[in-house]
Amino acid sequence: MLQQLEGSKAIALGIALCRPEVVCAYPITPQTHIVEAIAEMVKKGELEQCEFINVESEFAALSVAIGASAAGARSYTATASQGLLYMAEAVYNAAGLGLPIVMTIGNRAIGAPINIWNDHSDSMAMRDAGWIQLYAETNQEALDLHIQAFRLAEALSCPTMVCVDGFILTHAYEQVEIPESRQVDAFLPPFDPVQVLDCADPISIGAMVGPEAFMEVKYLQHHKQQSALELIPQIAAEFSEAFGRNSGGLLKSYRTDDAQTIVVALGSVNGTIKDAVDEMREAGHSIGSISITSFRPFPLQAVRTALEKAKRFVVLEKSLSVGLGGPLSDGVRKAMSGTGLKGYTVIAGLGGRAITKRSLMALFMQAEKDELELLNFLDLDHDVVNRQLAREKETRRSGPVAENVLRSIGTVASRIA
Amino acid sequence: MTLQTIKFYQTGTFTVGNRLLDESQRTVQANMRRTNSLNSGHRACQGCGEALGARYAIDAAMRASNNQVIAANATGCLEVFSTPYPETSWQIPWMHSVFGNAASVATGIAAALKVKQKKGIRVIAQGGDGGTTDIGFACLSGMFERNDDVLYICYDNEAYMNTGVQRSSATPAGARTATTPAAGPHPGNPFGTGKNLPLIAMAHHIPYVATASVANLHDLEAKVEKAMGIHGARYIHIHVPCPLGWGSHPSDTVKIARLAVESGLFPLFEAEHGEITSSSAIRRKAPVEAYLKLQRRFAHLFGERPDLETIAQIQEIADRNIARFSLEGR
Amino acid sequence: MFQIRIHGRGGQGVVTGAELLSIAAFLEGRHSQAFPSFGSERMGAPVVAFCRIADHEIRLREPVMSPDAILVQDPTLLHQVDLFRGLSASGIVLVNSGKNLNELGLAEFSENHPVYCLPATEIALEHIGRPLPNSALLGGFAAFSGQIGIDSLEKAIGEKFKGKTGQDNRAAARAAFDHVKEIMHAATA
């Protein structure tokens, strides 16, 4: 049924349709509305045969999911930002053990300075942990990706993160088609674990593995993700057949045929990019965009195919690899290595800085003229930066950077963006 | 889970149990056909108190649950020595995730069993003192306060033995460890530090808390059996000497454990819902020196000029325990 | 696409207001998107929420930079916050106040933009018994802008608030709607 509702609520309804058996969570903005909604459904008895556990930390949340999954239960949790980092050890552990847990990330920046707003620093910090990472463009896709994620995770016995832009999607009201439970039941079979703690057939899980086998175990994790490159489009195609709409897949191209400039990005910002593309196309510019859904595994071949006819690509990313650039660019550049295609990295929207269509269009026009640097920062206030640099030069005890920067900007209560 | 015939290696100690007792009163370990949950062939050191304690406890838990036990294990000696893949010593479904999360993993297993309506299967979490009192403390406290249906067993050997004998919050005052060396004006672990986890567990008002020792097999098994008969969060803290970390002779493990009890340094008691319900009276009171002298981690207190002042301070701790837990012979 | 910005203070229901508008538009078969300004503000702090209404899928995710309508729940924000920033040339403004434009210092501003004052708090006190101007302001907006119908707004309110609360809020919205219609009628008459 088509409904106008908050993204978090849509995701929660989607999770409930997947019939999770153990859900555990620790509150962190902007993930809270998702687990609150699930807690309510469990408490009211609308979501049956599900244990909802309020834990004392994110580390415990994922650890409970690990235990539950190893005992054969379909397990789910959600987190964001600092919470994802707090559970980092368990994040790697779940992947290493091959437990098909599904976790929503309400993408949010990582401090310091503490910041509750959206960017991709959190999930990017865990990009090499061995989880599949899918990024949602809209709330409809966020819901759909969760259904596909359980299917994918359980098929491969590999944990999967569904990354949803915090606030921008989690707190946005928009229309979402909520599937029927029989549709989801037909699409997602009950969890059939490849390993399970069973008294009738006792096994030991999580033993120490030495140099003689560790490489092989790790390689098999990589192999699993490589096979996900085939499985993800297959599941998306089946989903499309069953539910009548396109969601998921490795990536989605928008007006890229004959485009000389192609923008590459993850998540909800692709909506704004598409509007910018349309407006520029109308004005005669040759531009298109690619929204990457599967960041892990990274679809090298699909990216190469999608970009190879262009003249240049612009990677717009909401995460900064401090000291290098952007993690998404690394993948795109690798995909395009040897082609001689010009590529630009643009770091944008850190800590919730609004990414406006106006700024994007100005940026893309600069890109068309190859006037960009290899690494660019969208809407960076150079005056503020320079003032701080001067302050640091002037005096040894220049004080905390964040406080200085805020002071030099002045009150922000009146700012819209 | 099939029973297997085992040999008794430990004749001459009390560990096998008293075969003069009526059969129904004999220990699980005294039974030639016990389950032997932690099988022989593991890589524990000679005289390992933790290996002993774990087998005693899990065997007893298996008997109490008709072998329907799943265990979650914290990182540590027990985890490392029991599962040198592809071999495992565990005769039960067993899982290790990371160092600090055994209690949470057990909560997850228990939740899965509940939702799958596997009512007869019981969940145990186990770890050493570091995995329990330090890094796993938050998860443990969370499991306690939610009253999850998990029995947590801490094998307390009073330091991080797996990493080479560093201090934990369970290391006793005066003890030498790699990070509290016997050097300087105040050698060893400082006085006035550390935490008492059984008392902290009691503060959560969970249904059952007990301390036990590998020196008192009957008592240990009885406490495990009692804990297995209760649902909700339960905690058993077992004192397990470590020859490597304590600098003791492997054949003295049970003797040292007994001296810890008899001196009052490790009181044996039970508590239900936050109230102490019983304590084991000391049969033959021993001075703390008798306990300390057998361990090189306390060697700096003796030698040519014994550190009488520090020894007296340790005796004070023992005497306080005796008064506090009513350990005086009755 | 019609873009709305609602300004108020934490606790006044700014976010709920934007959500209600989006639900009302959805009920009319239109596309809509509502989202808050994502602050960690506590009660009483200035907050902003946004709503977009269109006849096609809304892909834009930026904050509403050039609103077609601005709703001000708390008139004390008027000269503290840059409320009218980016207001489109034909943009309308609705202020919750029993005062007139002169008293609010908006006389000059109103020469270039349609600005209305609506005593939404008074209407709320009358119908809900509490100073919660949200529903009344939305009812006023429905009349003033013509972007959403009062029936669908009432339905949206009914979806969000059950029982007596819903009833009272619907009444407040309807009363405000009638109030604005009357003023507009008088102005054109």
Side-chain angles (χ1 to χ4, degrees), chain A residues 117 173-174 272 275 278 357, chain C residues 34 38 59 61-62 160:
Chain A
W117 292 267
Y173 263 64
E174 56 189 35
T272 310
D275 274 11
D278 281 0
K357 188 173 71 177
Chain C
F38 321 140
R59 300 182 303 201
R61 299 285 177 190
E62 65 182 30
K160 269 253 179 201

Side-chain angles (χ1 to χ4, degrees), chain B residues 14-15 17 21 25-28 56-57 60 208-227 236-239 261 266-270 278-281 283:
Chain B
F14 288 174
T15 56
L21 288 172
Q25 289 183 306
R26 287 184 199 169
T27 62
V28 179
Y56 290 175
Y208 188 70
V209 173
T211 60
S213 166
V214 286
N216 197 335
L217 180 57
H218 273 280
D219 180 67
L220 188 157
E221 287 187 353
K223 285 169 174 169
V224 170
E225 194 170 336
K226 186 164 183 181
I236 298 181
H237 191 106
I238 305 178
H239 199 226
V261 173
F266 192 84
L268 297 180
F269 65 93
E270 290 177 293
S278 82
S279 59
S280 306
R283 284 195 295 185

Side-chain angles (χ1 to χ4, degrees), chain A residues 267-340:
Chain A
S268 67
V269 74
N270 277 291
T272 310
I273 291 172
K274 282 178 186 172
D275 274 11
V277 164
D278 281 0
E279 207 166 317
M280 287 178 70
R281 280 274 181 181
E282 266 172 50
H285 296 265
S286 175
I287 187 166
S289 66
I290 291 173
S291 167
I292 293 192
T293 308
S294 170
F295 182 68
R296 284 292 183 274
F298 193 83
L300 286 173
Q301 192 51 52
V303 168
R304 193 181 175 102
T305 308
L307 286 180
E308 65 190 350
K309 288 189 200 136
K311 281 197 175 150
R312 64 186 70 77
F313 59 85
V314 179
V315 181
L316 188 85
E317 43 191 328
K318 292 184 178 182
S319 176
L320 173 63
S321 285
V322 179
L324 176 60
L328 179 57
S329 302
D330 293 351
V332 177
R333 281 183 211 278
K334 189 175 181 199
M336 302 318 289
S337 62
T339 61

Side-chain angles (χ1 to χ4, degrees), chain A residues 56 63 72 93 203-206, chain B residues 85 88 94 96-97 116 139 146:
Chain A
E56 71 284 354
S63 299
N93 187 255
I203 51 165
S204 296
I205 299 176
Chain B
Y85 251 19
T88 174
W94 176 94
H96 160 248
S97 174
K116 291 187 171 294
C139 288
R146 290 186 302 267

Side-chain angles (χ1 to χ4, degrees), chain A residues 2-4 6 116-117 137-139 167-169 171-175 254 268 271-272 274-275 278 354-358 413-414 416-417, chain C residues 5 7 19 22-23 26 30-40 46 48 50 57 59-65 80-82 85 160:
Chain A
L2 195 64
Q3 288 185 44
Q4 179 82 7
E6 194 190 48
I116 63 160
W117 292 267
E137 200 178 313
T138 64
N139 280 335
F167 294 112
I168 296 173
L169 291 180
H171 285 53
Y173 263 64
E174 56 189 35
Q175 61 179 51
Y254 186 72
S268 67
T272 310
K274 282 178 186 172
D275 274 11
D278 281 0
I355 301 178
T356 65
K357 188 173 71 177
R358 190 174 156 176
S414 61
I416 305 305
Chain C
R5 208 161 68 205
H7 291 269
E19 291 167 2
S22 87
I23 295 171
F26 168 78
R30 306 184 71 192
H31 288 264
S32 60
Q33 177 200 60
F35 56 107
S37 66
F38 321 140
S40 56
V48 190
F50 312 99
E57 184 194 352
R59 300 182 303 201
L60 196 64
R61 299 285 177 190
E62 65 182 30
V64 169
M65 313 296 287
Q80 289 185 8
V81 173
D82 190 6
R85 187 186 164 115
K160 269 253 179 201

Side-chain angles (χ1 to χ4, degrees), chain C residues 157-175:
Chain C
I157 292 172
E159 272 190 22
K160 269 253 179 201
F161 305 107
K162 303 289 169 206
K164 188 171 183 312
T165 313
Q167 227 171 348
D168 294 347
N169 275 281
R170 288 203 304 275
R174 174 74 68 174

